[in-house]
Each structure stands twice: as structure tokens, then as C-alpha cells.
Amino acid sequence: ILSDATDVEAALQQPLRSAASANVRSVLQFKVDDDDALGRHFIARLRREAARFDDMAAVAISFPRGLIIRRYDHEPTSYWSLYSSFIGAGAAVRLAEPEKSIFAFRHRLIPQHLTAFSSTEGLNYVILRWHAGDTATEQKDNWFNNAAELTPDAFVELAEDDFGFLLDQDLGFLTDP
């Protein structure tokens, strides 16, 4: 989407209205940032879960199981598993107002505004956290209390099915402070 709008919400209004009109209802939207990756089974899982709630005009769906690669300053790269509902990566909503976007909510607050469900099937996201990332200071100082550290081999084993495409990537920006 190319837009002259000064904010994401304004830029998405017309495309969301058009999509809702073509779909005869509001569309299901999900969020992913440029420092996140969604698993290769994510879309199939989202479609399956969304079909369960097809009769609901507004609903939110979370996929809380995922992985994190972390490297701040001069600390060694570490690998983590995480269970966190309505983390930004892959949080999905269908809203009653067709022109409203998922960006109208802070992702962790979505369940305060909509009927919300979580699916624990599979690993659905990889989040990168590093010293130059846009949430670096906030995340380093407020690390997830329910994240479990993994060995590099355990990370690779968990990531192989859904995130095999990441395993051959050069993530040097994480490992080179």
C-alpha cells in the first residue's frame, strides 16, 4: 500500500474498507514487525482458527508460542522459547468497524477490547531482540519472565520445521556488536 497519509491507521482505512466490501465483511488482519518472522504454517493455522469464529463480527486470535534470538551489547547470543499471549508477532483481529486496523490497539491490550482466544498449536513466531533494535532498551530491562533459555542446538531443533528458512540466513547484525 502506498499512501501519503501521515499515520498507518489513516493509510489503511480505504484499503480495509475495500477489502471488507469485496469480502462482504471485515477482514482478518494480523501484525508482524520487521524484526519478527512468522512460521511457514502460520497462515494455515490462522485460517483454521478464524473459521471456528466465523459467526463473530469481531474477534481476536493469539498464537502465544514462539522463539526469540537475543543479543544485547557484548553479551553472547542466546536463544529462548516464549509463551506470551497477544505478543505483537502474529496477533490477529477481525473488527466490527471495517475501516479500523489492528494498529488501533496496543497488541497486549487487544483482549481488553475484543473477545479473545489463544491457540497453542505449534511455534508461530521468531522475534529478534538486539542492541540496535527499536525496542532494545525497553526489552533488555524488562525481559519476559516466562521465557525459557534454550541451547543453540535445542533452538535449531525447534526452529527446523516452521523456521527452516531462517536457519541459513546471515544474522551477523545480531552477533556483531
Side-chain angles (χ1 to χ4, degrees):
I1 296 173
L2 297 176
S3 173
D4 292 332
T6 57
D7 67 85
V8 174
E9 191 71 19
L12 291 174
Q13 282 182 348
Q14 186 53 48
L16 286 171
R17 262 192 230 111
S18 297
S21 179
N23 196 43
V24 193
R25 71 178 304 169
S26 292
V27 295
L28 188 67
Q29 310 169 45
F30 65 89
K31 182 179 182 304
V32 62
D33 293 334
D34 61 356
D35 58 355
D36 303 331
L38 297 175
R40 68 183 185 97
H41 300 294
F42 176 80
I43 297 297
R45 290 174 182 148
L46 178 58
R47 285 182 173 152
R48 187 172 48 251
E49 293 302 324
R52 294 176 51 210
F53 309 113
D54 204 42
D55 60 332
M56 298 176 74
V59 66
I61 304 169
S62 173
F63 296 88
R65 294 184 62 230
L67 300 169
I68 302 172
I69 303 172
R70 173 188 163 133
R71 172 76 191 280
Y72 289 114
D73 302 317
H74 295 283
E75 71 182 29
T77 301
S78 58
Y79 304 90
W80 302 77
S81 66
L82 179 66
Y83 184 100
S84 185
S85 294
F86 289 95
I87 197 154
V93 298
R94 181 172 45 239
L95 302 170
E97 304 89 357
E99 71 284 347
K100 196 171 185 180
S101 86
I102 191 169
F103 296 103
F105 307 98
R106 293 192 57 167
H107 54 85
R108 294 200 186 276
L109 302 181
I110 289 172
Q112 294 178 9
H113 302 279
L114 298 166
T115 302
F117 300 89
S118 289
S119 171
T120 59
E121 179 186 1
L123 295 170
N124 291 285
Y125 57 83
V126 171
I127 297 172
L128 305 178
R129 292 289 181 242
W130 76 104
H131 56 276
D134 55 351
T135 58
T137 304
E138 174 188 330
Q139 289 296 320
K140 183 179 180 184
D141 296 339
N142 298 303
W143 192 244
F144 303 100
N145 61 3
N146 59 339
E149 192 163 6
L150 301 168
T151 65
D153 289 342
F155 177 87
V156 168
E157 186 177 323
L158 287 170
E160 278 179 323
D161 183 39
D162 276 297
F163 302 99
F165 60 90
L166 284 179
L167 298 179
D168 295 328
Q169 297 300 312
D170 177 9
L171 300 176
F173 63 92
L174 286 172
T175 57
D176 300 329

